[in-house]
């Protein structure tokens, strides 16, 4: 009986369907049952010899199976494709992970952070200020009037409107003292600019300014703090102080450390001196206090300024300042 055969076919179809595991199986299955010469079509063709009633009944059963199979096959196909895709994107857990390139802090940024850390421990507070300054903050308020030869010591970039690129971080002393009332203890790192370029000078470089103002701050406090800073930065190292001159400090000094290359014996790096100059400092000049309206009978203070690149060059044994700003990846990555 044909109706029994069709029943058997239906069972066979679903049993076979369960066995489909990949796209090859799926295609074979489709041809076997749904193809032009496939089993379902074969039975549909046989119906032509049957009565109208049987044609209708068995025909609709066969067509139903066909429709159901078509939708199920589509779903199956998607399921298989998704699984294969997973395999392609490498759900292979034995593969090594992907390594994404990571940047590093610039060596100058690193040194700034290290130096700030040292002074933060001593109770100093970090401030910042503008790189475009006026002559007043950069020179006049720091006891450098316009006739003063010290203006020529710092080859200045002037802007068209009479403003300038700050030649040192010292104008931040003035800004801090005007904004605050003493006692104060600040450091101010930042970029400074001078019209100067060779292996030791860059038209843009970095300084760190320090300022402490209180009722009885004296020269030995300054020396103590500078010695502490040198030891924290370079380890156990010999230092020396030399008298110097800055219009905004009196008395003024410069601090040297023993040459890290030759340990004081004299070499190319220290120009046979055995010593490397690392900073300028001194007691705040009364004229500076006057320009910010601090009572010179009440307040005393010290200030210091150091070149960040200089510290970095000594620490890392670099002899050409320009390398910091040329952005060679090999150089930068060596600070990872
Ligand atoms: N501003 C000085 C310079 O750039 C350094 C300095 C700062 C000296 C503070 C004394 C006190 O050379």
């Amino acid at each position: 009986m044909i109706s029994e055969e069709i029943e058997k076919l239906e069972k066979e179809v679903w049993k076979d369907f369960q066995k489909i595991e990949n796209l090859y199986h799926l295609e074979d299955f489709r041809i076997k049952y749904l193809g032009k010469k496939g089993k379902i079509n074969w039975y549909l063709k046989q119906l032509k010899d049957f009565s109208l009633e049987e044609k209708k009944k068995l025909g609709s059963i066969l067509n139903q199976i066909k429709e159901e199979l078509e939708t199920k096959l589509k779903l199956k196909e998607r399921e298989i494709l998704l699984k294969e895709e997973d395999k392609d994107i490498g759900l292979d857990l034995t593969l090594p992970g992907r390594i994404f390139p990571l940047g590093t802090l610039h060596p100058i940024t690193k040194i700034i952070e290290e130096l700030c850390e040292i002074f933060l421990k001593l109770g100093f507070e970090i401030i910042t200020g503008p790189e475009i300054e006026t002559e007043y903050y950069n020179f006049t308020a720091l006891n450098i009037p316009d006739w003063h030869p010290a203006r020529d010591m710092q080859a200045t970039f002037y802007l068209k409107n009479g403003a300038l690129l700050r030649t040192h971080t010292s104008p931040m002393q003035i800004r801090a003292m005007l904004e605050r009332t003493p006692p104060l203890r600040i450091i101010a790192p930042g970029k400074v600019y001078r019209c100067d370029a060779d292996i030791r000078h860059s038209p843009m470089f970095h300084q760190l300014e320090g300022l402490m103002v209180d009722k009885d701050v004296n020269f030995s406090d300054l020396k103590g703090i500078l010695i502490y800073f040198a030891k924290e930065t370079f380890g156990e190292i010999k230092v020396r102080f030399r008298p110097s001159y800055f219009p905004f400090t009196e008395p003024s000094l410069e601090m040297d450390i023993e040459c890290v290359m030759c340990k004081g014996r004299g070499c190319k790096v220290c120009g046979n001196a055995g010593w490397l100059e690392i900073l300028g400092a001194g007691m705040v000049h009364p004229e500076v206090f006057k320009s910010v309206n601090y009572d010179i009978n009440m307040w005393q203070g010290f200030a210091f300024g150091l070149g960040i690149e200089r510290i970095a060059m000594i620490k890392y044994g670099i002899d050409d300042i320009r390398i910091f700003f040329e952005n060679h990846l090999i150089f930068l990555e060596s600070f990872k």
Side-chain angles (χ1 to χ4, degrees):
M1 276 278 283
I2 185 149
S3 59
E4 277 168 12
E5 274 181 44
I6 290 177
E7 246 177 66
K8 244 171 89 184
L9 171 72
E10 198 179 352
K11 275 185 197 144
E12 186 195 323
V13 164
W14 294 121
K15 209 170 143 193
D16 251 12
F17 184 84
Q18 300 300 321
K19 291 181 196 155
I20 300 177
E21 276 176 7
N22 56 39
L23 293 178
Y24 300 110
H25 296 162
L26 193 121
E27 202 43 32
D28 287 347
F29 180 93
R30 196 195 305 274
I31 294 167
K32 185 171 171 190
Y33 295 104
L34 296 173
K36 248 189 202 162
K37 293 178 180 165
K39 285 197 172 177
I40 293 179
N41 272 340
W42 188 84
Y43 278 104
L44 281 169
K45 270 181 213 151
Q46 307 306 310
L47 294 181
K48 67 180 195 300
D49 302 328
F50 289 83
S51 69
L52 192 66
E53 208 185 315
E54 271 178 312
K55 259 189 211 162
K56 258 193 182 170
K57 195 181 137 210
L58 297 175
S60 94
I61 293 177
L62 282 170
N63 279 324
Q64 246 181 354
I65 299 175
K66 213 173 155 179
E67 263 174 44
E68 201 181 333
L69 256 188
E70 269 160 6
T71 35
K72 288 219 165 138
L73 278 179
K74 261 190 211 141
L75 290 175
K76 191 82 189 172
E77 188 175 356
R78 274 197 53 189
E79 186 186 305
I80 292 170
L81 282 175
L82 281 177
K83 258 192 214 157
E84 307 245 304
E85 221 173 79
D86 274 354
K87 263 190 223 153
D88 284 351
I89 10 177
L91 262 191
D92 179 350
L93 299 178
T94 63
L95 282 175
R98 277 171 218 186
I99 296 167
F100 294 99
L102 257 193
T104 65
L105 288 181
H106 192 279
I108 295 300
T109 309
K110 268 196 177 165
I111 296 277
I112 292 178
E113 287 188 355
E114 277 175 39
L115 298 183
C116 286
E117 209 54 52
I118 295 170
F119 288 104
L120 284 174
K121 274 194 283 185
L122 292 172
F124 284 74
E125 199 184 318
I126 303 171
I127 63 157
T128 54
E131 285 167 34
I132 296 177
E133 269 294 6
T134 61
E135 279 191 288
Y136 180 76
Y137 287 103
N138 196 82
F139 294 126
T140 318
L142 286 161
N143 193 31
I144 318 175
D146 52 13
W147 49 263
H148 201 289
R151 286 213 183 186
D152 302 335
M153 272 161 52
Q154 307 188 349
T156 311
F157 287 111
Y158 284 92
L159 306 182
K160 282 202 184 105
N161 60 4
L164 50 81
L165 298 181
R166 68 181 177 201
T167 57
H168 50 177
T169 41
S170 301
M172 286 194 274
Q173 288 184 33
I174 304 298
R175 290 183 177 274
M177 288 192 279
L178 285 175
E179 273 167 27
R180 296 156 185 242
T181 45
L184 54 92
R185 230 185 293 186
I186 53 114
I187 48 168
K191 292 188 167 68
V192 299
Y193 302 83
R194 286 183 204 180
C195 192
D196 211 350
D198 57 38
I199 69 164
R200 283 166 184 272
H201 300 91
S202 157
M204 184 280 298
F205 60 104
H206 298 77
Q207 286 189 335
L208 181 100
E209 192 81 9
L211 172 70
M212 178 167 177
V213 180
D214 209 329
K215 285 203 169 127
D216 47 9
V217 188
N218 54 43
F219 205 66
S220 49
D221 294 325
L222 171 61
K223 286 171 74 180
I225 279 192
L226 294 179
I227 290 169
Y228 175 79
F229 145 77
K231 299 236 153 103
E232 287 286 296
T233 308
F234 298 104
E236 272 309 314
I237 199 160
K238 272 195 204 151
V239 303
R240 75 172 183 190
F241 295 98
R242 281 178 293 107
S244 185
Y245 172 77
F246 301 102
F248 34 92
T249 47
E250 181 60 36
S252 303
L253 64 84
E254 276 174 308
M255 181 165 90
D256 300 339
I257 58 169
E258 190 179 71
C259 178
V260 289
M261 297 294 167
C262 61
K263 298 271 173 277
R265 264 171 268 131
C267 67
K268 216 174 78 189
V269 175
C270 55
N272 271 325
W275 296 94
L276 296 166
E277 178 196 322
I278 61 165
L279 60 80
M283 301 307 291
V284 178
H285 196 291
E287 285 303 320
V288 174
F289 277 151
K290 278 186 206 162
S291 64
V292 295
N293 280 322
Y294 279 14
D295 183 348
I296 56 167
N297 293 315
M298 184 129 108
W299 304 110
Q300 283 180 294
F302 63 70
F304 57 87
L306 54 91
I308 307 281
E309 280 77 5
R310 179 125 184 105
I311 304 277
M313 287 165 81
I314 295 172
K315 238 188 133 153
Y316 299 129
I318 294 166
D319 57 10
D320 186 341
I321 192 171
R322 293 169 294 196
I323 190 106
F324 289 119
F325 308 116
E326 285 169 352
N327 293 330
H328 301 304
L329 279 183
I330 295 177
F331 172 73
L332 296 173
E333 278 171 354
S334 66
F335 294 92
K336 256 185 194 166

